[in-house]
Amino acid sequence: VEALNKLQIDFRTRSLLSVFEEDAGMLTNYTNQLLQSLQRVFGAQSEMGLATEQLSQQLLDYEKKNFALGKGDEEVITTLQNFAKTVGELNSLHSELANQMADSMVFPLIQFREKDLTGRATHIQLIIIAAMVKYSRLPKKKENEKLKSDLVKEVAYTRRKQHQASLQYYCALNALQYRKRVAMLEPMLGYTQAQISFFKKGIELVSKKMDSFLSSVSNMTQNIQAQLDVEAEAMRGSQRELLSVEDTVYMPDKDTEPVNRTLIQKAGYLNIRNKTGLVTTAWDRLYFFTQGGNLMCQPRGAVAGGMVLDLDNSSVMAVECEDRRYCFQITSPSGKTSMILQAESKREYEEWICTVNNISRQIYLTDNPEAVAIRLNQTAIQAVTPITSFEKRPEGGIHAASSDSQKTGATPEPEDLIAPGTPIQFDIMLPASEFQDQNRAGGRRTNPFGETDDDYSLLQQVFAVRFLGSMAVRCGNNQEVIYEAMRQVLAARAIHNIFRTTESHLMVTSSSLRLIDPQTQVTRISFQLGEVCQFAAHQENGRLMGFVVEGRDWSDGDEEGEPSFSTFVFESNTEGEKICYTVSLAKDITEAKKDPEALAQLMKNMPLTNDGKFLLLEPETGDTTNGAGQEDLESEA
């Protein structure tokens, strides 16, 4: 200061000034770092207030979730509401603490940095003595007294200002040593006082009224833990018991329980065959279940299932796949939609087929579907006894019904139509002698176009069919006998797991009905048209049809023989009504042959082909004449 009074700044003064400036610079850096730490504490406290507020709201939202397994959560809901109230009060304390930290901890240090440290830079920038530059440029020869006097006054004024600024700068450096001590202590004093106030209010909040509450919550938690321990021990015991069984329980096709054939609901995993190209397929494992009369499927990742197929009046049967077993096919009533599924075991395979068969009969629509399914299953078991070859018919079971029962208009009982215990034939096999005779005859085959060497028929029509079964009946003048035979044949196939069928060609001509092997063109069985006394299609499943054939029984020694009747049931790829219409037309042609005029009128009313034969259907059967090249008539078997 003494040197400054003399307007002189020596070396020692400059050295001392550099020490003060270096100290002030270090103080500035430290203050910035300290301020960052304090602001971080303040930010954490502010976040604490926001977090406790969100926590309180989440505790209140537990009641609004309506958990599906929330039974017994009433005490938990009440406790969480009390906790939410307490957390809300603590949130107000945290918010108040954050405000106190902002006022007494952060703000004083910010004020010190902006006022005392930033202001120092204005003192360091000393006044540049521009006046000395002007004074040094005065000419030596020609002196302007007025100009010289002005410059002298300006130099004196700037020196005074420099002196004054230097004094203020040095005084600020001296005062900074005291102010920094206050600035370092004041934030921590405010922080400590704010925390103490927070803790005091928190103790007043939770000291008395929270003790009993926390004690009850602790007891409730211990009780829940005790219940959990008991349940865990019971589950461990169940696990030990379940794991102690033999390995055969986990093996496929080792089910000891019998197949339940009365199911009307079924669920489980099945493999479904999907086409991936013209000739390639792939199998996908999906979850299927039945709902009412629909087959549902729930793909992977889906929240709910969607309908795959309407099972009402549908048909189901086993199919043979080259690379899979336990496969079955479900086909819609129209025959346009079908799918092939694979079960995981034989028991699942049989139960799925029985379930779909029960649903297709619309048992689920009755008042007590389980009882109806059980009764129908028991009735079918008692009514049918399946066989796979020709057997001798029971005595007294093949004769026609009495004329009195035929004349009555009431609906006949099943016992009046078919004798109880009548055997069923599920396949048509050629006798060995007949097969040898056909071979010795030169391998004669039936012409697929219906033409023979010794007979010219006005009508030839071929249908792709699958023989389901045949059985003896008591009468042949009632279509109800065909419907009852269909019911018993289908029930017997489902009960005894006989699902395999063989595809054949049914040829309808104006003189006969023939069942032909599509591969060898050998006639399996043939009936004269006059022997067919009844024919009908199923009333609900249009692809089922059947006809009744009249024969003679000479077992009693009567020369004329007693009339006997047999019903044959088929499933076709087309509508059964078309086959029945063709048979009806064939009978009309047979009757018209007796009267040339009637035959001419019939041929006039019906469309004919180029060779003069009756044209019945679309090209749907035109490609079925060749048994080895059929494309549209895929067998469900």
Side-chain angles (χ1 to χ4, degrees):
V1 175
E2 181 179 357
L4 284 174
N5 289 334
K6 297 179 180 180
L7 299 178
Q8 295 177 359
I9 302 179
D10 56 7
F11 175 75
R12 291 176 299 175
T13 304
R14 292 183 180 276
S15 299
L16 183 61
L17 179 61
S18 63
V19 173
F20 273 84
E21 290 181 343
E22 183 180 358
D23 185 83
M26 293 177 62
L27 179 61
T28 301
N29 294 333
Y30 177 78
T31 302
N32 290 332
Q33 295 175 1
L34 179 62
L35 182 59
Q36 290 180 358
S37 299
L38 295 178
Q39 288 177 338
R40 186 176 180 181
V41 173
F42 168 72
Q45 185 59 43
S46 301
E47 181 63 26
M48 186 66 178
L50 297 176
T52 52
E53 182 180 1
Q54 184 179 4
L55 174 60
S56 176
Q57 185 61 39
Q58 287 293 332
L59 294 178
L60 293 175
D61 289 344
Y62 182 83
E63 182 182 7
K64 303 176 183 179
K65 295 303 179 181
N66 294 327
F67 293 100
L69 303 177
K71 184 179 180 181
D73 285 352
E74 292 77 9
E75 295 183 358
V76 177
I77 293 174
T78 304
T79 304
L80 290 180
Q81 290 176 349
N82 293 332
F83 271 121
K85 181 179 179 181
T86 303
V87 172
E89 295 175 353
L90 291 175
N91 173 51
S92 62
L93 296 182
H94 283 292
S95 300
E96 184 179 353
L97 176 59
N99 294 332
Q100 290 179 358
M101 286 183 177
D103 295 337
S104 60
M105 182 182 70
V106 180
F107 179 73
L109 194 61
I110 293 177
Q111 191 176 18
F112 167 71
R113 186 186 66 173
E114 300 297 333
K115 182 178 179 182
D116 296 324
L117 294 182
T118 307
R120 177 181 61 84
T122 59
H123 294 289
I124 293 177
Q125 298 176 357
L126 301 177
I127 301 175
I128 301 175
I129 310 175
M132 288 299 297
V133 178
K134 294 180 181 180
Y135 183 74
S136 300
R137 293 177 179 177
L138 286 175
K140 181 178 179 182
K141 297 180 178 181
K142 296 181 180 181
E143 294 186 356
N144 189 340
E145 295 296 335
K146 183 176 183 306
L147 180 58
K148 182 179 179 180
S149 175
D150 293 340
L151 291 176
V152 168
K153 291 180 180 180
E154 184 176 355
V155 170
Y157 176 75
T158 55
R159 285 183 174 180
R160 178 180 291 277
K161 285 294 184 181
Q162 181 185 8
H163 188 196
Q164 183 180 358
S166 299
L167 289 176
Q168 293 177 354
Y169 176 61
Y170 299 140
C171 290
L173 289 178
N174 289 330
L176 183 62
Q177 302 303 316
Y178 298 96
R179 290 176 178 170
K180 74 175 182 179
R181 300 169 188 172
V182 177
M184 296 299 105
L185 298 177
E186 189 175 5
M188 296 310 302
L189 178 63
Y191 171 76
T192 306
Q193 290 177 346
Q195 291 287 358
I196 292 174
S197 176
F198 171 77
F199 289 132
K200 286 183 178 180
K201 293 181 179 179
I203 292 175
E204 295 176 357
L205 174 65
V206 301
S207 60
K208 295 183 179 180
K209 64 179 183 179
M210 290 296 292
D211 289 342
S212 59
F213 172 68
L214 294 178
S215 177
S216 63
V217 173
S218 177
N219 294 334
M220 183 173 64
T221 305
Q222 293 176 1
N223 293 334
I224 295 176
Q225 184 64 37
Q227 296 175 4
L228 175 60
D229 294 340
V230 173
E231 183 67 22
E233 183 62 29
M235 288 189 291
R236 284 191 291 268
S238 300
Q239 291 177 2
R240 289 192 295 268
E241 182 180 355
L242 292 175
L243 295 177
S244 62
V245 299
E246 299 180 357
D247 292 339
T248 55
V249 176
Y250 300 97
M251 296 179 181
D253 293 333
K254 296 294 183 180
D255 296 321
T256 58
E257 298 181 1
V259 178
N260 188 353
R261 306 183 186 279
T262 61
L263 294 175
I264 58 174
Q265 288 184 345
K266 184 71 176 171
Y269 280 95
L270 296 172
N271 295 325
I272 181 172
R273 188 172 73 174
N274 297 318
K275 285 189 176 181
T276 57
L278 294 177
V279 294
T280 58
T281 58
W283 293 85
D284 295 328
R285 187 172 184 266
L286 300 175
Y287 184 79
F288 289 85
F289 61 96
T290 60
Q291 187 175 37
N294 300 323
L295 179 63
M296 313 290 286
C297 175
Q298 184 172 352
R300 298 182 186 91
V303 190
M307 189 182 78
V308 179
L309 189 66
D310 185 2
L311 299 179
D312 287 345
N313 300 322
S314 63
S315 62
V316 57
M317 62 174 55
V319 294
E320 292 291 337
C321 295
E322 296 180 356
D323 58 338
R324 300 274 172 154
R325 59 178 181 174
Y326 304 142
C327 297
F328 59 96
Q329 177 174 297
I330 304 176
T331 308
S332 62
S334 62
K336 297 180 179 179
T337 304
S338 64
M339 61 176 58
I340 296 180
L341 303 171
Q342 180 196 20
E344 295 181 348
S345 64
K346 184 177 181 180
R347 180 170 177 268
E348 287 289 310
Y349 156 80
E350 295 180 4
E351 286 189 351
W352 269 106
I353 292 178
C354 294
T355 302
V356 174
N357 185 50
N358 292 336
I359 295 176
S360 66
R361 300 165 69 178
Q362 299 182 349
I363 297 177
Y364 66 93
L365 297 177
T366 59
D367 295 334
N368 192 351
E370 291 81 4
V372 174
I374 294 174
R375 178 166 44 83
L376 290 178
N377 182 62
Q378 293 176 348
T379 304
I381 292 176
Q382 297 172 359
V384 296
T385 303
I387 59 175
T388 57
S389 62
F390 285 104
E391 292 184 3
K392 185 179 180 181
R393 295 165 181 169
E395 297 181 0
I398 60 175
H399 298 292
S402 61
S403 59
D404 296 336
S405 61
Q406 295 178 6
K407 295 178 180 180
T408 57
T411 303
E413 296 294 331
E415 293 79 5
D416 298 334
L417 301 175
I418 302 176
T422 302
I424 300 176
Q425 177 182 333
F426 292 112
D427 197 4
I428 298 178
M429 295 183 294
L430 289 174
S433 59
E434 181 179 350
F435 184 75
Q436 293 174 359
D437 291 342
Q438 289 189 2
N439 289 336
R440 285 196 297 267
R444 179 180 178 182
R445 300 291 185 264
T446 301
N447 193 314
F449 296 97
E451 299 174 358
T452 61
D453 297 337
D454 54 355
D455 182 27
Y456 177 79
S457 178
L458 294 176
L459 173 66
Q460 302 93 26
Q461 190 68 37
V462 179
F463 300 92
V465 297
R466 286 172 293 278
F467 178 71
L468 299 181
S470 64
M471 60 191 308
V473 296
R474 286 180 166 175
C475 63
N477 59 350
N478 194 335
Q479 289 187 351
E480 293 295 331
V481 71
I482 300 179
Y483 302 144
E484 179 62 21
M486 290 179 178
R487 186 191 70 79
Q488 293 197 19
V489 168
L490 294 177
R493 280 183 169 271
I495 291 172
H496 299 280
N497 300 327
I498 304 175
F499 301 111
R500 182 177 301 179
T501 59
T502 303
E503 184 166 325
S504 303
H505 286 172
L506 179 63
M507 178 182 291
V508 182
T509 68
S510 57
S511 60
S512 64
L513 298 181
R514 299 178 186 177
L515 197 63
I516 304 171
D517 189 315
Q519 301 295 332
T520 62
Q521 297 301 318
V522 173
T523 301
R524 291 176 176 270
I525 192 170
S526 176
F527 304 102
Q528 294 299 318
L529 204 59
E531 298 175 354
V532 180
C533 53
Q534 282 292 337
F535 49 89
H538 196 276
Q539 296 172 331
E540 297 177 350
N541 189 348
R543 294 186 300 112
L544 293 179
M545 66 84 56
F547 54 82
V548 180
V549 177
E550 183 179 358
R552 291 291 170 178
D553 182 15
W554 290 276
S555 59
D556 294 336
D558 191 354
E559 295 182 359
E560 296 183 358
E562 293 291 336
S564 63
F565 302 93
S566 300
T567 300
F568 292 80
V569 180
F570 297 88
E571 182 184 25
S572 65
N573 291 340
T574 60
E575 295 181 3
E577 290 291 344
K578 293 183 179 180
I579 302 178
C580 294
Y581 172 75
T582 307
V583 176
S584 177
L585 180 60
K587 282 184 166 291
D588 292 342
I589 294 175
T590 302
E591 293 296 328
K593 284 182 178 180
K594 301 176 183 179
D595 186 358
E597 296 181 0
L599 180 60
Q601 184 65 28
L602 181 62
M603 297 180 65
K604 181 179 179 180
N605 295 334
M606 293 293 297
L608 302 176
T609 59
N610 294 331
D611 56 355
K613 298 181 181 181
F614 287 94
L615 179 64
L616 295 180
L617 305 177
E618 319 288 297
E620 178 266 324
T621 57
D623 295 337
T624 66
T625 57
N626 188 357
Q630 51 187 334
E631 297 179 357
D632 298 333
L633 299 178
E634 293 184 0
S635 171
E636 291 187 357

